Amino acid sequence: MNTADLGLPVDVPSTALFTDHYELTMLQAALAGGTADRRSVFEVFTRRLPEGRRYGVVAGTGRVLDAVENFRFDADVLGFLRERRVVDEPTLEWLASYRFGGDVWGYPEGEVYFPGSPILRVEGSFAECVLLETVILSILNHDSAIAAAASRMSSAAGDRPLIEMGARRTHELAAVAASRAAYVGGFATTSDLAAGFRYGIPTVGTSAHAFTLVHDRERDAFQAQVTSLGRDTTLLVDTYDVEEAVRTAVEIAGPELGAVRIDSGDLLLVAHRVRQQLDELGATATKIVVTSDLDEYAIASLRAAPVDAYGVGTQLVTGSGHPTCSMVYKLVARATSADPEAPLEPVAKRSSGGKTSVGGRKWAARRLDGHGTAEAEVIGTGPVPATLEDRLLLVRLIEGGRVVSREPLDVVRDRHAAARAGLPLSATQLSRGEAVIPTEYV
């Protein structure tokens, strides 16, 4: 359940300074030069997927909507800009009443994307749109990277649940966003209470090695935990001798013991031995949870092991080797003058080194083959072919400055599962490869 469903307030601080210095100096020059009011279209896209990845995952859209709503320049922020002489007084006066009043379209959160996909389209005056570049990219690049890693891990795990437990491996605020993105990508629970409070993600956790070590005997630690938390708790069994710990755990909790957790050693070998021991002791329903620096490859290697759940931390919150998606925010069209009726004309950067882009306000659709499987990401700037009209991907998120599309996280999570299932089977292969479907421009 998302807290938005419960009507609970979620405080988000002003995001006005989550930006780069040059966004404001561009604004000042545009206001002085007469181009600030030109109608403009910016798009977020990536020129390529991280090396070896076959698809990307759109995540963070809900946080982007919060950030745009809270992009406000209050007295303290304006005072800081004035003191540092970042911009002049006319620009400060303009910022004092800033409210984004344009439109935003985007891929629904949880959807997959490919090189060139117009993941987000921001429309309005140049001045109001240009200010949002940094905060939008900051959110989408981080959250989409985590969600992509989570998606690969959940695919490798199959129907076995995943626990997000990376809060201690990243910045405290990034940890909350990472937990949200991991849930979008297929994780079932989180250890981070802040993520549970803010986003309604189920939280789990029992004990660490410190709890065992503070007791005189491992038996005393297990007895205290079972007495306090119940027989269905999860006991950590690798502080000393695993075999002895499992025996003690079942003696204390009985066959009703919920689970044991293994956090070190040869997980494949130990899991098999623990399963055999649990079954011999009559604890056939007791589950096995494994942790210890897992990534999608380690999870896949444990597919044949009697493991019931995985806990993942470091590799998840760092994007499993790809902490960013390299998304960019580019002006693709602008009016020929400040006249509201002036026509839009495509614009695009021309450069060498692979940093070229395609101008024009774009639509995107996913073409399916005869079996209903995605076969191409089709992107265009002109009329939409009749055969693709019911396959368009972008939806309106903000209209006239007002958010019109907020969704519970469970809806987003289900969307991602469906989107991934609609890709060719090779999308879930962990071996390195190119994008699983091509991008076509029409």
Side-chain angles (χ1 to χ4, degrees):
M1 175 69 74
N2 190 303
T3 52
D5 299 331
L6 304 176
L8 299 177
V10 177
D11 295 329
V12 179
S14 168
T15 52
L17 293 183
F18 292 172
T19 191
D20 288 308
H21 187 115
Y22 81 165
E23 310 290 7
L24 298 187
T25 53
M26 280 194 289
L27 169 66
Q28 176 177 313
L31 289 170
T35 55
D37 292 330
R38 285 192 177 190
R39 191 159 51 100
S40 300
V41 180
F42 287 82
E43 288 176 352
V44 175
F45 61 93
T46 184
R47 296 184 176 95
R48 64 191 66 84
L49 296 176
E51 184 181 358
R53 296 289 172 88
R54 297 169 184 262
Y55 63 92
V57 181
V58 179
T61 308
R63 298 206 310 119
V64 166
L65 299 180
D66 290 340
V68 173
E69 280 191 328
N70 289 277
F71 206 90
R72 305 284 186 266
F73 293 84
D74 59 23
D76 289 340
V77 171
L78 293 171
F80 165 77
L81 297 175
R82 179 177 290 109
E83 177 186 350
R84 297 294 181 92
R85 297 183 179 180
V86 175
V87 290
D88 59 19
E89 283 300 322
T91 305
L92 291 172
E93 292 176 11
W94 188 93
L95 291 172
S97 59
Y98 177 84
R99 300 289 186 275
F100 178 74
D103 299 332
V104 177
W105 293 72
Y107 278 38
E109 189 166 15
E111 184 57 84
V112 295
Y113 70 87
F114 300 92
S117 296
I119 296 163
L120 201 72
R121 189 174 72 219
V122 183
E123 305 181 23
S125 71
F126 175 81
E128 64 182 337
C129 294
V130 75
L131 293 181
L132 300 176
E133 174 181 8
T134 303
V135 70
I136 286 176
L137 289 179
S138 175
I139 293 170
L140 292 180
N141 268 313
H142 174 269
D143 290 22
S144 296
I146 305 303
S151 179
R152 286 163 59 85
M153 292 174 187
S154 66
S155 178
D159 59 359
R160 299 172 179 178
L162 291 157
I163 307 163
E164 184 280 311
M165 47 196 303
R168 63 190 60 194
R169 303 302 188 204
T170 188
H171 186 280
E172 66 272 18
L173 297 182
V176 181
S179 179
R180 182 186 184 279
Y183 192 69
V184 170
F187 274 58
T189 54
T190 179
S191 67
D192 192 339
L193 288 175
F197 173 76
R198 177 164 292 187
Y199 297 118
I201 301 169
T203 59
V204 295
T206 51
S207 66
H209 293 291
F211 184 76
T212 300
L213 294 170
V214 77
H215 290 80
D216 295 332
R217 299 184 305 165
E218 188 172 52
R219 174 177 293 273
D220 297 336
F222 287 178
Q223 185 64 66
Q225 185 174 326
V226 170
T227 300
S228 178
L229 301 179
R231 295 177 184 272
D232 62 346
T233 190
T234 299
L235 295 176
L236 181 59
V237 295
D238 71 327
T239 304
Y240 304 117
D241 179 83
V242 173
E243 184 176 353
E244 179 62 28
V246 171
R247 183 179 301 109
T248 302
V250 176
E251 286 178 4
I252 292 172
E256 297 86 3
L257 175 62
V260 295
R261 179 163 74 94
I262 307 166
D263 188 51
S264 60
D266 183 336
L267 296 179
L268 179 63
L269 176 63
V270 176
H272 277 286
R273 289 178 174 173
V274 168
R275 180 73 271 160
Q276 180 179 355
Q277 186 182 7
L278 287 170
D279 291 346
E280 290 172 349
L281 293 171
T284 56
T286 299
K287 299 183 183 301
I288 297 175
V289 180
V290 296
T291 53
S292 185
D293 292 328
L294 300 178
D295 61 11
E296 60 265 49
Y297 302 102
I299 292 169
S301 72
L302 291 167
R303 187 170 294 163
V307 171
D308 298 285
Y310 307 90
V312 189
T314 303
Q315 291 301 318
L316 175 66
V317 299
T318 56
S320 196
H322 297 289
T324 182
C325 303
S326 299
M327 293 179 185
V328 294
Y329 182 96
K330 295 298 181 183
L331 181 66
V332 297
R334 50 87 171 166
T336 54
S337 73
D339 184 341
E341 302 301 321
L344 287 172
E345 65 176 21
V347 294
K349 175 181 178 180
R350 296 179 182 176
S351 68
S352 58
K355 283 196 171 185
T356 58
S357 56
V358 178
R361 182 180 186 272
K362 301 175 193 67
W363 51 264
R366 190 158 300 143
R367 191 174 70 239
L368 308 182
D369 65 16
H371 301 283
T373 301
E375 67 175 8
E377 193 86 339
V378 185
I379 300 171
T381 57
V384 180
T387 55
L388 295 175
E389 287 180 349
D390 63 344
R391 300 299 307 165
L392 291 174
L393 291 165
L394 277 78
V395 298
R396 191 188 294 272
L397 302 172
I398 296 178
E399 182 176 10
R402 182 176 64 88
V403 174
V404 295
S405 179
R406 271 202 173 91
E407 300 176 307
L409 266 186
D410 285 335
V411 172
V412 174
R413 189 169 182 266
D414 291 345
R415 176 183 293 122
H416 174 62
R420 188 177 66 191
L423 297 176
L425 287 177
S426 57
T428 59
Q429 291 180 341
L430 296 182
S431 58
R432 292 183 177 275
E434 300 299 321
V436 71
I437 61 174
T439 300
E440 299 178 0
Y441 291 91
V442 299

